[in-house]
Amino acid sequence: MDIASFKKSIKSSKIISFDLFDTLFYRPYLNPNDLFSHLEIIHNAPGFKNQRIIAEDNARYISKYEEITLDEIYDQIQIDFACIKFSEMELELDSVLINLEIKNLIEYSISLNKKVIFISDMYLSADFIKSLLTKHSITSIESLYISSEHRLTKHTGKLFKQIINDLNCSAKDILHIGDNKKSDLRMAQRCGLKSLHY
């Protein structure tokens, strides 16, 4: 990643959009599902990881929306494991780490008086994401778009279109920065945004 070229693109854009997970935030696991293995060990709950994966798959299968919520996932889980939902949130909050390189780009954007927004395809709630941002001293939150709240995703492009409509701006006014080649790069570009792959 060439920080100088990212800063140049930020300087020439009106609105800077940052992806969250695997861009600004990252988990200390090789695979996202390893968090479920960790919870299984913490709670001495054999079978939890498998049940958590199945519950999410089932929730997505029956949902009429593009994105689901954590509550909907746990509605599909075996009753013995339902109480682990709050521990999952606590472990996410405790374990998620900040990418200082991206945090510095956020601070650079703010220093230039750019409008900074955050976008994530995630089943966690916007309130929970705000607590993650606050924990890592990111408090200048103008707009936060979480797919579980809007029920639309970057993956389909509909969340980007919602943002353009809400901000009453041209798509080309927005520079989106993220890690996913489809959602953050190609889909953003297909919707008319400028995008950079991190």
Side-chain angles (χ1 to χ4, degrees):
M1 173 187 170
D2 180 0
I3 291 289
S5 66
F6 271 64
K7 286 186 172 181
K8 185 177 179 180
S9 295
I10 287 170
K11 200 169 185 178
S12 64
S13 303
K14 293 181 180 179
I15 301 166
I16 317 301
S17 164
F18 291 93
D19 171 53
L20 293 176
F21 287 88
D22 299 320
T23 301
L24 175 61
F25 297 136
Y26 58 97
R27 296 172 169 120
Y29 302 105
L30 290 175
N31 184 299
N33 290 341
D34 290 344
L35 181 137
F36 309 145
S37 297
H38 194 174
L39 286 163
E40 186 172 307
I41 292 167
I42 290 170
H43 288 273
N44 189 24
F48 171 75
K49 176 183 178 179
N50 187 51
Q51 279 297 310
R52 174 60 176 75
I53 293 168
I54 291 171
E56 184 170 340
D57 287 344
N58 288 343
R60 292 190 185 282
Y61 181 75
I62 66 173
S63 179
K64 61 182 180 180
Y65 302 108
E66 289 184 14
E67 185 60 280
I68 57 175
T69 67
L70 188 64
D71 286 343
E72 289 167 346
I73 293 170
Y74 274 86
D75 284 344
Q76 298 299 315
I77 209 162
Q78 285 183 7
I79 191 68
D80 295 348
F81 298 132
C83 62
I84 298 180
K85 177 176 73 172
F86 299 104
S87 292
E88 179 174 337
M89 294 170 67
E90 288 175 359
L91 187 57
E92 287 276 19
L93 188 61
D94 290 342
S95 64
V96 166
L97 304 170
I98 192 80
N99 182 339
L100 292 177
E101 203 165 50
I102 293 295
K103 186 179 180 185
N104 288 338
L105 287 178
I106 292 168
E107 291 170 350
Y108 176 73
S109 302
I110 292 169
S111 75
L112 296 177
N113 294 314
K114 304 295 182 180
K115 183 176 180 67
V116 173
I117 66 175
F118 299 99
I119 311 175
S120 185
D121 282 351
M122 172 50 69
Y123 48 75
L124 294 167
S125 70
D127 284 342
F128 182 82
I129 300 299
K130 285 177 185 175
S131 66
L132 274 178
L133 290 165
T134 301
K135 177 187 175 183
H136 293 285
S137 303
I138 299 173
T139 54
S140 299
I141 307 167
E142 289 197 50
S143 298
L144 179 61
Y145 286 87
I146 307 300
S147 59
S148 63
E149 300 283 330
H150 291 271
R151 301 298 197 145
L152 304 171
T153 64
K154 293 181 298 178
H155 187 76
T156 64
K158 290 181 181 177
L159 189 54
F160 288 125
K161 291 175 182 176
Q162 178 70 56
I163 291 164
I164 294 163
N165 184 64
D166 285 356
L167 299 182
N168 192 26
C169 67
S170 169
K172 65 185 179 182
D173 290 337
I174 305 173
L175 170 66
H176 179 67
I177 298 171
D179 72 291
N180 189 288
K181 286 185 178 179
K182 179 179 179 181
S183 299
D184 294 311
L185 190 68
R186 292 193 295 271
M187 192 54 71
Q189 291 172 352
R190 191 177 296 176
C191 292
L193 285 72
K194 295 178 289 183
S195 64
L196 291 174
H197 183 238
Y198 180 81

